[in-house]
Amino acid sequence: MIFGEAKKVELVALLASLGFMPDRVTRQDYWYKSPFRNEHTASFKVDRIRNIYYDHGEGKGGNIIDFAARFFRCDAKTAATKIIEQNLPNSFSFHQQQHPTHMAGEKKEPGEGKIIITSSRPLQSASLLSYLEERKIPLYIAQKYCKEVDFSLYGKQQTVIGFENRSGGFELRSPTFKGSSSPKDITFFDNGKQEVSVFEGFFDFLSFAVIRPQAGSGWTNCLVLNSLSFQEKSRSLMEQHHTISLFLDRGTSGRQYTQKALAWNKEFQSEKYIDSSHLYQYRDDLNEWLIAQSKQQEQQRTQRGRGL
């Protein structure tokens, strides 16, 4: 039953709820820049009538459950649950013309399909605090850099963790949501230092603040890209520093961007850019490493408590 209900949800609507909008629409096909990597040309296609996707960049595709399982990094049952919890328009109503599509050039209602921030406040939601605990981020660190944010999308109200960028937009996260509000931009903490530490996402930055507490007291400047697409745009800012420590993800895209930055060292004939991801070389990113380390420490404490 749960899989049948999840498959009725529009993949186009799910992508919008996650902050992904199509680059172009051709009849029933919606073309996106891939949610799984950074790219300049849209190669991720959704067939809205059949409610399936095909990623031309990887030669793989599937239905909405296949997509959610990969995006949220979970099994199919959990993915189906996350889809249903979004309470989004379904493809059945689309085919019955009860939820009409908006093709290119058609008039839309103001704010439709757009994340609209309605309010923000200090973090206090029990579910969000539990989520932070799962990610091993202490509340005092999260409260210093994040807010609890309410937003609306497709008429649905949601409450998430918000991390503000320098243009006033937010990166938005919760156990069931990953997206961002406009305008999209970097977040930069200028502590007047000659070294800058660069992160792909804000949970990696928060993890850095956990393992290097002195970062919060101005030990280094910190740059959170919020998207790898901002790396080259941020090059001039990064190169105002003597040392640029890169803490990017160790997945395919993160490694490519790290290598691209290291190649810029040839212009300086020095090691201005430094790959600092060796700290978490056996994990995908800094937050995943922090979670693994915390669990290992908890197990060791439990064993000592049992006298093992």
Side-chain angles (χ1 to χ4, degrees), residues 216-248:
S217 60
W219 172 62
T220 175
N221 291 349
C222 291
L223 169 63
V224 186
L225 296 172
N226 294 320
S227 170
L228 284 173
S229 62
F230 286 116
Q231 183 191 35
E232 190 143 8
K233 297 176 184 177
S234 303
R235 183 176 176 181
S236 62
L237 172 62
M238 290 188 288
E239 292 178 358
Q240 292 174 19
H241 301 81
H242 293 323
T243 305
I244 307 161
S245 299
L246 303 171
F247 292 88
L248 305 184

Side-chain angles (χ1 to χ4, degrees), residues 157-170:
Q157 298 289 325
Q158 294 197 52
T159 300
V160 297
I161 297 169
F163 180 75
E164 193 168 5
N165 64 44
R166 66 178 181 180
S167 296
F170 283 91

Side-chain angles (χ1 to χ4, degrees), residues 107-125:
K107 183 178 179 180
K108 297 183 180 182
E109 293 299 318
E112 183 179 356
K114 181 180 180 181
I115 292 175
I116 301 175
I117 304 297
T118 55
S119 64
S120 65
R121 56 191 167 276
L123 289 162
Q124 58 187 23
S125 166

Side-chain angles (χ1 to χ4, degrees), residues 137-295:
I137 306 297
L139 180 58
Y140 76 93
I141 288 179
Q143 287 180 326
K144 183 174 182 179
Y145 299 105
C146 303
K147 298 178 182 179
E148 185 170 302
V149 174
D150 296 326
F151 73 89
S152 65
L153 180 64
Y154 284 112
K156 179 184 176 183
Q157 298 289 325
Q158 294 197 52
T159 300
V160 297
I161 297 169
F163 180 75
E164 193 168 5
N165 64 44
R166 66 178 181 180
S167 296
F170 283 91
E171 294 301 305
L172 306 169
R173 299 290 186 276
S174 77
T176 59
F177 183 86
K178 179 179 180 181
S180 58
S181 67
S182 298
K184 184 91 171 176
D185 204 348
I186 64 170
T187 304
F188 181 59
F189 298 97
D190 186 357
N191 298 310
K193 302 300 179 179
Q194 293 301 310
E195 177 180 353
V196 62
S197 298
V198 182
F199 307 90
E200 188 168 330
F202 77 88
F203 264 105
D204 294 322
F205 164 70
L206 296 178
S207 300
F208 184 74
V210 174
I211 64 176
R212 303 271 178 86
Q214 65 269 42
S217 60
W219 172 62
T220 175
N221 291 349
C222 291
L223 169 63
V224 186
L225 296 172
N226 294 320
S227 170
L228 284 173
S229 62
F230 286 116
Q231 183 191 35
E232 190 143 8
K233 297 176 184 177
S234 303
R235 183 176 176 181
S236 62
L237 172 62
M238 290 188 288
E239 292 178 358
Q240 292 174 19
H241 301 81
H242 293 323
T243 305
I244 307 161
S245 299
L246 303 171
F247 292 88
L248 305 184
D249 292 0
R250 293 188 63 85
T252 301
S253 295
R255 296 305 301 162
Q256 289 176 346
Y257 276 78
T258 295
Q259 293 305 313
K260 181 178 182 180
L262 294 178
W264 292 339
N265 281 331
K266 296 179 181 179
E267 299 178 21
F268 303 102
Q269 297 182 339
S270 67
E271 298 301 313
K272 193 178 185 76
Y273 287 92
I274 300 173
D275 180 7
S276 297
S277 68
H278 56 81
L279 172 64
Y280 45 98
Q281 59 182 320
Y282 300 113
R283 300 290 174 178
D284 284 344
D285 57 47
L286 188 53
N287 183 243
E288 186 177 304
W289 178 87
L290 175 64
I291 293 171
Q293 288 294 110
S294 298
K295 289 181 178 178

